[in-house]
Amino acid sequence: SQQGEEDPQALSIQEGENATMNCSYKTSINNLQWYRQNSGRGLVHLILIRSNEREKHSGRLRVTLDTSKKSSSLLITASRAADTASYFCATDANMYSGGGADGLTFGKGTHLIIQP
Amino acid sequence: DVKVTQSSRYLVKRTGEKVFLECVQDMDHENMFWYRQDPGLGLRLIYFSYDVKMKEKGDIPEGYSVSREKKERFSLILESASTNQTSMYLCASKIAGATAYEQYFGPGTRLTVT
């Protein structure tokens, strides 16, 4: 079953505006990661936030984590056309721990469209 | 830069064929993963490997097998391809030890089974 669920499923905004995506998960985690996927391509890692962190920044990205609500948000400020992509949250999934290869469980993604 | 490559970007196979999807990484990562991605379902883990010749089942291993004979190469095998295996297949790798490391993804193979 899916661990992370992104909200909204799709988001369309004007260039220059801020975009906020949310992720909810079900079980306790050690960390949460956000990835971006451009159309038809592989995923690219954006940012990782540990369970003992509440907020993290990377360039125009700001991620928050609320472990009491089991939720995270990704904020992209001053959006650009190149930010058009699907965004996924991923959590470490205990059931995939095998010999040190801890797998991730991905949500279904938020498709972000930046209108020029 | 870490590079994860997949043998084909697009592949068309017939029902019943044996299909091999190859993934190679150049960063000496111990862990490698195979996912499939379908609209509305997101990414689902098929198999992963934490070392050479080691493999573990993920969420949806049925109909698939894997092979890891060398550290840099992780192969996904569809023993007898079926139309419900039409999907985007993504390979990833990471450093061993903890989930606090990012996964590096290949560009994906879009497989169509007719």
Side-chain angles (χ1 to χ4, degrees):
Chain A
S1 61
Q2 298 295 126
Q3 164 76 314
E5 293 288 342
E6 291 89 346
D7 170 57
Q9 290 186 346
L11 180 62
S12 180
I13 60 173
Q14 294 296 124
E15 195 167 19
E17 293 180 342
N18 296 341
T20 300
M21 289 157 272
N22 302 297
C23 170
S24 60
Y25 57 92
K26 297 173 184 173
T27 63
S28 62
I29 61 172
N30 296 309
N31 61 72
L32 184 144
Q33 303 181 37
W34 284 91
Y35 287 79
R36 183 188 75 226
Q37 183 181 35
N38 291 91
S39 180
R41 311 291 294 188
L43 278 72
V44 174
H45 181 262
L46 295 176
I47 198 165
L48 180 151
I49 186 165
R50 298 177 193 277
S51 59
N52 61 354
E53 297 176 309
R54 291 296 167 258
E55 188 171 312
K56 202 162 182 180
H57 296 253
S58 177
R60 293 184 296 113
L61 305 180
R62 173 178 166 248
V63 169
T64 62
L65 179 64
D66 186 335
T67 52
S68 66
K69 294 181 179 178
K70 292 187 170 60
S71 67
S72 173
S73 68
L74 170 67
L75 168 68
I76 303 174
T77 60
S79 63
R80 304 168 182 168
D83 294 329
T84 294
S86 291
Y87 292 82
F88 295 87
C89 68
T91 57
D92 52 346
N94 294 329
M95 68 280 279
Y96 295 143
S97 293
D102 299 284
L104 294 175
T105 302
F106 287 82
K108 298 176 184 178
T110 291
H111 184 52
L112 175 64
I113 297 172
I114 308 299
Q115 307 277 6
Chain B
D1 276 355
V2 175
K3 201 164 188 181
V4 180
T5 57
Q6 295 183 229
S7 49
S8 306
R9 289 298 314 279
Y10 300 93
L11 208 52
V12 180
K13 295 291 181 180
R14 294 193 181 278
T15 301
E17 277 193 83
K18 190 168 186 176
V19 181
F20 293 86
L21 302 182
E22 304 285 340
C23 175
V24 178
Q25 50 93 6
D26 66 358
M27 280 301 290
D28 206 35
H29 284 170
E30 292 82 6
N31 301 162
M32 297 187 75
F33 306 82
W34 275 107
Y35 297 88
R36 65 176 281 176
Q37 183 178 24
D38 301 287
L41 296 176
L43 276 78
R44 293 178 292 168
L45 182 64
I46 304 172
Y47 266 99
F48 66 94
S49 168
Y50 51 91
D51 207 342
V52 176
K53 297 191 187 296
M54 298 301 194
K55 60 185 179 185
E56 292 282 347
K57 294 179 180 179
D59 247 344
I60 50 165
E62 297 78 19
Y64 303 94
S65 63
V66 291
S67 172
R68 185 128 181 243
E69 296 297 318
K70 292 185 178 180
K71 191 174 186 180
E72 67 271 18
R73 188 180 298 268
F74 191 33
S75 303
L76 180 69
I77 303 155
L78 286 65
E79 297 290 342
S80 177
S82 64
T83 54
N84 62 13
Q85 292 179 309
T86 291
S87 186
M88 170 73 104
Y89 289 88
L90 293 164
C91 174
S93 72
K94 69 178 264 297
I95 298 171
T99 58
Y101 294 109
E102 63 183 278
Q103 291 190 12
Y104 293 85
F105 281 81
T109 295
R110 188 166 294 280
L111 173 68
T112 302
V113 182
T114 62

